[in-house]
């Protein structure tokens, strides 16, 4: 039986393990954390959002970024400190503006497909992850941004998404707790939200029941590529103990760390870690629960998204180009708290849990899924801000790629 080693126990690694185990492969998942879904798959914005499939490669994004330079609370923040990786990535990002239209349409189609796979996994395995299928409402505060969104909406609809414009009155009907004046919005009734950590943890347990092994606290220091089988050099207990594990094939699902593993395996994978922040506002009283929205929101001006996750209100946003930095900075968290207080003053913010994670982004904003240069090497990574949204579909794509190249007995 071919032995498949998956590097990374986040949402892409665990969905990949599930898809491969269902095909009959012998799968082991390796992760440096104690439990699955403890890094970027821990506390994201919660949106399963085909409506957010527009890629960022546009002149409008570049202009907004330039206007925001120097603002410590800007939705997009660039650390100007010189870095070849950062500036070469940005150059390639700008070079992909020509592919904005086709990549947005392709991402939309992938996101729509992913929903069905994710719902099927959750239903088959009985996973409770605070799923809310109430749609996602995008709000705009001025006519110019609304008209820009209308042009992007045409591409989303071309990709097959049902998404329509709504008036300020209709916005209040869709989400009555939102009393802030809006110029208009777009509503996607088929979108949803859910807790990525709960889902990934539940699916990991389902994988284990199917025979998938999880090697946690396993820091992969090196991968031999002298020939098959591959040998993974693993450090335990902060390097005090070393182990070697063999695999006939390797699937890299390591998020922002995928670039370093790709380099070891002879591939170039230009992933940059783009930091995002979130807060989980605990709704500890009935008044706060009544005042918090149940429909997921995206505020275009602030680049903030929200999700209702049971008795928690998740508010997330910002994109920070600052390397592998995981500092939770007060000046980046405060705008999320302020936004909550401004738009939903009845929600008490006495208990707020901040978090940050590194989104693994390719310059073209498209995930890298499929084989590498060497036999038995595969990738399912680089999903950027849409890992939660796309992972159930890319896992199926990855499984099909492995099945084509790695024969089962």
């Amino acid at each position: 039986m071919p032995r498949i080693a998956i590097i990374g126990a986040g949402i892409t690694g665990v969905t990949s393990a599930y898809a491969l185990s269902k095909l009959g492969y012998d799968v082991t998942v390796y992760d440096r954390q104690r439990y699955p879904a403890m890094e970027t798959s821990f506390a994201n914005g919660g949106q399963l959002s085909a409506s957010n499939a527009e890629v960022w490669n546009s002149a409008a994004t570049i202009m907004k970024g330039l206007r925001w330079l120097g603002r410590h609370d800007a939705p997009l923040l660039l650390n100007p400190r010189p870095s070849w990786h950062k500036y070469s990535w940005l150059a390639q990002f700008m070079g992909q503006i020509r592919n904005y239209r086709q990549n947005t349409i392709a991402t939309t189609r992938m996101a729509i497909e992913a929903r069905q796979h994710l719902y099927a996994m959750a239903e088959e395995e009985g996973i409770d992850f605070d799923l809310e299928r109430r749609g996602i409402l995008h709000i705009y505060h001025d006519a110019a941004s609304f008209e820009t969104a209308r042009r992007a909406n045409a591409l989303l609809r071309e990709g097959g998404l049902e998404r329509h414009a709504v008036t300020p009155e209709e916005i209040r009907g869709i989400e009555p707790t939102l009393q802030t004046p809006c110029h208009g919005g777009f509503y996607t009734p088929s979108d949803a939200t859910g807790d990525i950590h709960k889902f990934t943890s539940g699916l990991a347990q389902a994988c284990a029941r199917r025979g998938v092994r999880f090697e946690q606290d396993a820091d992969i220091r090196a991968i031999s590529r002298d020939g098959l089988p591959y040998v993974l050099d693993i450090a335990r207990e902060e390097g005090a103990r070393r182990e070697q594990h063999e695999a006939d094939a390797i699937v890299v699902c390591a998020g922002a760390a995928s670039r370093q593993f790709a380099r070891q395996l002879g591939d170039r994978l230009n992933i940059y870690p783009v930091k995002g922040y979130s807060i989980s506002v605990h709704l500890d009283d009935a008044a706060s629960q009544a005042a918090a929205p149940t429909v997921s929101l995206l505020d275009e001006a602030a680049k903030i998204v929200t999700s209702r996750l049971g008795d928690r209100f998740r508010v997330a946003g910002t994109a920070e180009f600052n390397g592998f930095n995981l500092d939770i900075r007060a000046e980046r968290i405060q705008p999320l708290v302020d936004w909550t207080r401004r738009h939903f003053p009845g929600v008490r913010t006495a208990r707020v849990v901040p978090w940050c994670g590194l989104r693994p982004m390719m310059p073209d904003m498209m995930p890298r899924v499929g084989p590498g240069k060497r036999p038995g090497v595969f990738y399912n990574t680089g999903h950027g801000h849409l890992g939660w949204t796309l992972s159930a579909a890319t896992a199926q794509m990855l499984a099909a790629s492995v099945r084509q190249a790695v024969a089962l007995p």
Side-chain angles (χ1 to χ4, degrees):
M1 181 67 66
R3 297 164 298 177
I4 311 288
I6 295 178
I7 302 176
I11 185 64
T12 56
V14 174
T15 51
S16 296
Y18 185 78
L20 289 170
S21 69
K22 293 197 77 172
L23 291 178
Y25 288 99
D26 180 0
V27 179
T28 303
V29 181
Y30 295 86
D31 195 274
R32 61 189 176 186
Q33 299 295 342
R34 178 65 56 91
Y35 311 104
M38 293 303 293
E39 295 195 21
T40 306
S41 298
F42 186 75
N44 72 352
Q47 291 188 333
L48 293 160
S49 52
S51 59
N52 205 18
E54 180 188 7
V55 298
W56 298 358
N57 309 85
S58 68
T61 300
I62 301 297
M63 294 307 297
K64 286 179 182 177
L66 291 174
R67 287 199 301 271
W68 287 330
L69 283 176
R71 273 185 50 191
H72 70 273
D73 61 345
L76 189 152
L77 186 68
L78 174 70
N79 184 336
R81 184 178 303 161
S83 160
W84 171 252
H85 182 200
K86 177 169 53 188
Y87 287 110
S88 64
W89 187 95
L90 288 169
Q92 290 187 33
F93 173 89
M94 289 187 285
Q96 287 292 327
I97 290 175
R98 65 184 183 275
N99 296 320
Y100 160 82
R101 181 181 184 278
Q102 68 188 54
N103 287 348
T104 294
I105 293 171
T107 303
T108 305
R109 290 172 177 160
M110 199 185 313
I112 293 170
E113 178 191 347
R115 291 178 186 150
Q116 307 313 316
H117 293 299
L118 187 139
Y119 296 155
M121 291 177 193
E123 184 175 354
E124 183 172 352
E125 303 300 340
I127 302 171
D128 176 12
F129 61 105
D130 294 324
L131 175 64
E132 290 284 357
R133 299 176 67 169
R134 298 173 182 264
I136 293 179
L137 177 62
H138 288 217
I139 59 173
Y140 303 85
H141 299 288
D142 60 82
S145 61
F146 182 74
E147 287 306 313
T148 299
R150 191 186 296 279
R151 292 191 289 272
N153 190 59
L155 297 182
L156 300 179
R157 291 181 66 87
E158 189 172 340
L161 186 66
E162 178 199 347
R163 184 172 184 257
H164 57 271
V166 288
T167 65
E169 293 74 22
E170 289 171 323
I171 287 173
R172 284 190 288 273
I174 293 167
E175 181 46 70
T177 64
L178 180 64
Q179 298 297 315
T180 312
C182 299
H183 175 82
F186 284 91
Y187 181 53
T188 311
S190 58
D191 272 349
T193 58
D195 189 319
I196 187 174
H197 180 73
K198 282 188 174 183
F199 178 87
T200 309
S201 299
L203 192 63
Q205 293 170 21
C207 287
R209 292 193 296 269
R210 290 178 175 274
V212 175
R213 291 178 298 280
F214 283 81
E215 294 285 346
Q216 304 288 155
D217 283 327
D219 186 5
I220 299 175
R221 298 292 178 85
I223 305 172
S224 74
R225 54 175 187 168
D226 299 329
L228 294 175
Y230 292 100
V231 179
L232 284 66
D233 180 20
I234 296 171
R236 306 275 194 181
E237 301 166 8
E238 297 183 352
R241 182 164 57 91
R242 303 295 277 265
E243 299 174 0
Q244 291 190 331
H245 292 212
E246 293 185 346
D248 301 303
I250 293 176
V251 180
V252 178
C253 303
S258 297
R259 180 171 177 259
Q260 70 187 52
F261 290 114
R263 188 185 298 119
Q264 293 182 46
L265 295 165
D267 292 304
R268 185 174 184 274
L269 201 62
N270 194 13
I271 286 177
Y272 192 84
V274 180
K275 188 197 289 189
Y277 291 84
S278 79
I279 58 173
S280 296
V281 182
H282 287 255
L283 307 174
D284 292 327
D285 57 86
S288 293
Q289 292 170 17
T294 55
V295 173
S296 179
L297 305 172
L298 189 150
D299 184 334
E300 177 62 27
K303 299 295 184 184
I304 282 176
V305 304
T306 75
S307 296
R308 181 68 176 268
L309 305 173
D311 61 357
R312 293 162 298 149
F313 181 43
R314 179 71 48 78
V315 182
T318 78
E320 185 175 309
F321 289 77
N322 196 19
F324 286 88
N325 179 294
L326 282 168
D327 294 341
I328 297 179
R329 300 167 54 189
E331 67 267 26
R332 304 297 280 162
I333 292 296
Q334 193 60 46
L336 302 178
V337 178
D338 292 342
W339 185 92
T340 303
R341 291 171 174 169
R342 181 168 63 254
H343 292 283
F344 302 98
V347 173
R348 292 186 74 246
T349 52
R351 190 156 69 106
V352 171
V353 180
W355 173 85
C356 72
L358 302 177
R359 310 178 185 101
M361 286 195 173
M362 296 288 290
D364 61 358
M365 306 293 291
M366 301 294 287
R368 170 71 184 278
V369 187
K373 292 178 182 177
R374 298 181 60 82
V377 173
F378 302 88
Y379 297 92
N380 184 13
T381 188
H383 296 63
H385 66 299
L386 293 176
W388 182 211
T389 296
L390 301 178
S391 57
T394 61
Q396 302 302 316
M397 296 162 57
L398 180 277
S401 181
V402 173
R403 188 175 191 176
Q404 187 175 13
V406 182
L408 285 163

